[in-house]
Amino acid sequence: MDRAETAARIAELIDPFNKKGIEITDNTSFAGDLEWDSLTVMDFVAAIEDEFDIIISMNQQAEIETYGQLVDAVIKLQG
Amino acid sequence: MSDLFSKFDPLIQQRQALLDTGVTDPFGLVMERVISPTVAVCSGRETILLGTYNYMGMTFDPDVIAAGKQALDDFGAGTTGSRVLNGTYAGHRAVEEALKDFYAMDHAMVFSTGYQANLGIISTIAGKGDYIVLDIDSHASIWDGCKMGDAEVVPFKHNDIEAMEKRLKRIPEGAGKLVVLEGVYSMLGDIAPLKEMIRVAKENGAMVLVDEAHSMGFIGPNGRGVAEDQGCLDDVDFVIGTFSKSVGTVGGFCVSNHPKFEILRLVCRPYVFTASLPPSVVATAATSIRKLMHGEAKRAHLWENSRTLHKGLRDLGFKLGTPEPQSAIIAVIMPDLERGAGMWEALLNEGLYVNLARPPATPAGMTLLRCSLCAEHSAEQVQTIIGMFERAGKAVGII
Ligand SMILES: Cc1ncc(COP(=O)(O)O)c(C=O)c1O
């Protein structure tokens, strides 16, 4: 999967949690723009982990604030 | 200068808005006099206690009290020292012996609180490069233990065996793994499917820590907890517990059969860098633990109380945290914080104290009235309690 494909797949996974239909760009932040609470974050992280068969530990999550950062992190974690 | 307290403004406002509705402050209650494990005087009024963790009613046990008084006379009011320096007295050894006998395990280490036991054990045994896999509804002391250490922290959905297994399987080859579970989850009073979860954890090469804070003395044939009840205690590497619930005093511990366990006394900072428990506390704890080993009759009565209250509240139409009683905790789910606080106050006016629990302590943003039963609640008291819930629930419009 190249970056565009990974990014597109992650955007699809964001969709069901994007209740307000916020436009997703690399700078869209999960806490600030999408206003996700901790439970939503957990469900979303689980969806990403299952899709890409990776672990994103809480330590790593703390450094991921935006969609762009998440795409980069997923690519890196897939190795 | 920016005010460091401005981050608390939303909470200050929410609290003020609640108090402005005229309800009594649920977090400002004072017990003026304590008459027994189940009755206290609050605001001049005799009140039935249904929100303590005094499951086995040991706080006023005559043998326990006598042991505490004797220790005060013989050893003084406090140790003024760490366990590893001048803070280990005969009583600290004796309570560790009592724990080893109670759990039939090789090692026991006593901390000043259960909070510190989780903080210390978890942060010390899981280090850099190791993985901690834990239930998302874990107690704050477990989360803080994770935060204090250097391990990678991976939560999974509450009691979800498959979610836990998937995460374990994705951990890189060779990394150390610790699975952290609880026997009873104290917010909803539900238990974990430990047998299955521990089997999966072991299959994936993980060590297992189970916090049995809310099951000790009550659940399992010998009161050792949910793991004993489900027949998998032998596969638990570390049991964490507390003296602040069934044991009826204060303190925390870890018991284990790990052959190298004793080294923790030198490397576990929340054990080393704090004063040890006062002699009277360890004396009451040791006496209480030894009595709990023979608590069959009390356990049976506590189960009876739990079943009666659960059925009584369900029949009245309250929404409960579990479909059947699984522990001594019965959580009544409130529609929102305002009505929860209203119901809490109506019950207090009836002469009943329960715990009001709200986010972030509760899962899924719920407001709960948590009832915890005691082996010393009489069958008659339980009926009185059900009557109080009926009147309060109708007055507040919840049933
Ligand atoms: C699951 C769990 N673990 C640990 C603790 C901490 O116990 P202690 O009161 O001894 O600090 C508690 C008590 O609140 C608890 O509920």
Side-chain angles (χ1 to χ4, degrees):
Chain A
M1 238 190 263
D2 62 17
R3 190 178 197 284
E5 271 179 86
T6 303
R9 189 68 198 106
I10 292 174
E12 278 172 43
L13 291 170
I14 289 176
D15 202 46
F17 299 97
N18 186 0
K19 298 264 152 51
K20 292 192 185 148
I22 306 280
E23 191 202 345
I24 305 296
T25 71
D26 270 0
N27 293 324
T28 305
S29 108
F30 298 109
D33 298 325
L34 295 171
E35 297 176 17
W36 287 356
D37 58 19
S38 59
L39 284 170
T40 310
V41 168
M42 182 189 70
D43 287 341
F44 173 68
V45 169
I48 295 280
E49 287 178 326
D50 288 351
E51 172 69 23
F52 296 98
D53 198 24
I54 53 173
I55 285 188
I56 311 177
S57 69
M58 306 256 308
N59 322 43
Q60 291 161 325
Q61 286 172 39
E63 278 158 30
I64 302 172
E65 286 174 8
T66 65
Y67 169 70
Q69 289 167 348
L70 177 63
V71 174
D72 292 337
V74 168
I75 289 167
K76 202 163 143 228
L77 285 165
Q78 281 180 297
Chain B
M1 183 190 77
S2 74
D3 184 0
L4 295 171
F5 277 52
S6 48
K7 56 173 96 46
F8 307 125
D9 286 347
L11 184 60
I12 290 170
Q13 279 150 19
Q14 189 202 36
R15 189 177 142 76
Q16 196 54 49
L18 183 65
L19 294 181
D20 287 347
T21 65
V23 299
T24 313
D25 180 2
F27 304 106
L29 183 88
V30 177
M31 308 257 162
E32 289 146 9
R33 220 149 49 78
V34 181
I35 293 166
S36 75
T38 62
V39 179
V41 176
C42 312
S43 313
R45 161 167 204 163
E46 216 170 276
T47 304
I48 300 181
L49 301 176
L50 190 69
T52 76
Y53 295 132
N54 199 356
Y55 300 123
M56 297 295 279
M58 297 307 281
T59 49
F60 281 87
D61 182 280
D63 297 325
V64 169
I65 303 256
K69 284 183 175 162
Q70 190 66 51
L72 263 175
D73 284 343
D74 295 348
F75 291 94
T79 67
T80 71
S82 157
R83 281 300 304 277
V84 291
L85 297 173
N86 56 310
T88 295
Y89 287 16
H92 298 83
R93 281 289 164 75
V95 75
E96 288 177 342
E97 287 305 316
L99 284 167
K100 290 195 283 189
D101 290 343
F102 185 89
Y103 285 97
M105 291 218 190
D106 296 340
H107 304 279
M109 190 169 159
V110 167
F111 291 76
S112 297
T113 64
Y115 178 90
Q116 280 163 293
N118 270 327
L119 202 63
I121 297 290
I122 295 171
S123 66
T124 307
I125 64 179
K128 200 162 177 58
D130 298 331
Y131 281 75
I132 301 171
V133 177
L134 80 169
D135 191 290
I136 191 90
D137 287 351
S138 293
H139 188 259
S141 56
I142 293 173
W143 283 109
D144 291 356
C146 292
K147 211 164 182 181
M148 190 168 131
D150 298 317
E152 297 292 322
V153 179
V154 182
F156 61 87
K157 192 165 162 232
H158 178 53
N159 274 350
D160 188 329
I161 301 168
E162 197 190 324
M164 181 190 79
E165 181 166 23
K166 275 192 206 158
R167 275 155 194 79
L168 280 168
K169 290 203 186 305
R170 290 180 194 139
I171 292 174
E173 193 81 34
K177 298 167 214 169
L178 176 67
V179 167
V180 179
L181 307 168
E182 293 179 33
V184 173
Y185 286 86
S186 64
M187 285 300 135
L188 294 177
D190 58 326
I191 59 170
L194 288 183
K195 198 177 175 70
E196 272 299 289
M197 297 182 100
I198 292 171
R199 183 182 59 73
V200 170
K202 290 282 150 182
E203 278 170 12
N204 287 279
M207 285 193 167
V208 176
L209 179 149
V210 179
D211 182 333
E212 296 270 17
H214 292 273
S215 56
M216 182 186 184
F218 167 49
I219 296 179
N222 295 293
R224 290 174 189 156
V226 175
E228 185 196 28
D229 198 45
Q230 297 182 8
C232 53
L233 185 56
D234 285 346
D235 294 320
V236 176
D237 296 281
F238 310 97
V239 174
I240 296 284
T242 174
F243 299 160
S244 74
K245 310 196 193 298
S246 288
V247 176
T249 174
V250 66
F253 63 87
C254 178
V255 292
S256 173
N257 285 326
H258 196 294
K260 297 180 188 166
F261 188 73
E262 296 294 325
I263 195 63
L264 289 178
R265 294 188 201 270
L266 297 184
V267 293
C268 181
R269 295 167 65 91
Y271 178 83
V272 175
F273 293 99
T274 194
S276 67
L277 289 167
S280 56
V281 168
V282 286
T284 53
T287 307
S288 178
I289 290 163
R290 294 215 177 266
K291 286 195 91 165
L292 288 174
M293 292 167 86
H294 311 287
E296 297 82 5
K298 274 186 154 186
R299 288 202 268 278
H301 181 65
L302 182 49
W303 272 119
E304 189 58 43
N305 283 346
S306 182
R307 281 191 291 266
T308 309
L309 183 64
H310 190 281
K311 180 169 189 313
L313 294 180
R314 201 189 45 199
D315 289 351
L316 285 173
F318 285 104
K319 202 169 155 217
L320 304 182
T322 54
E324 72 286 324
Q326 299 183 3
S327 67
I329 300 169
I330 292 170
V332 187
I333 302 172
M334 294 290 114
D336 50 53
L337 179 58
E338 285 66 37
R339 273 180 287 178
M343 179 78 187
W344 179 86
E345 186 174 35
L347 286 171
L348 196 62
N349 291 336
E350 288 277 343
L352 181 67
Y353 173 76
V354 299
N355 280 148
L356 177 67
R358 42 169 259 175
T362 52
M366 280 188 272
T367 299
L368 304 171
L369 291 185
R370 285 165 61 248
C371 308
S372 37
L373 287 146
C374 175
E376 297 289 327
H377 280 125
S378 65
E380 195 191 348
Q381 270 178 324
V382 176
Q383 291 307 326
T384 306
I385 290 165
I386 294 170
M388 290 166 157
F389 259 95
E390 178 167 19
R391 285 189 296 277
K394 282 181 177 153
V396 180
I398 288 171
I399 53 167

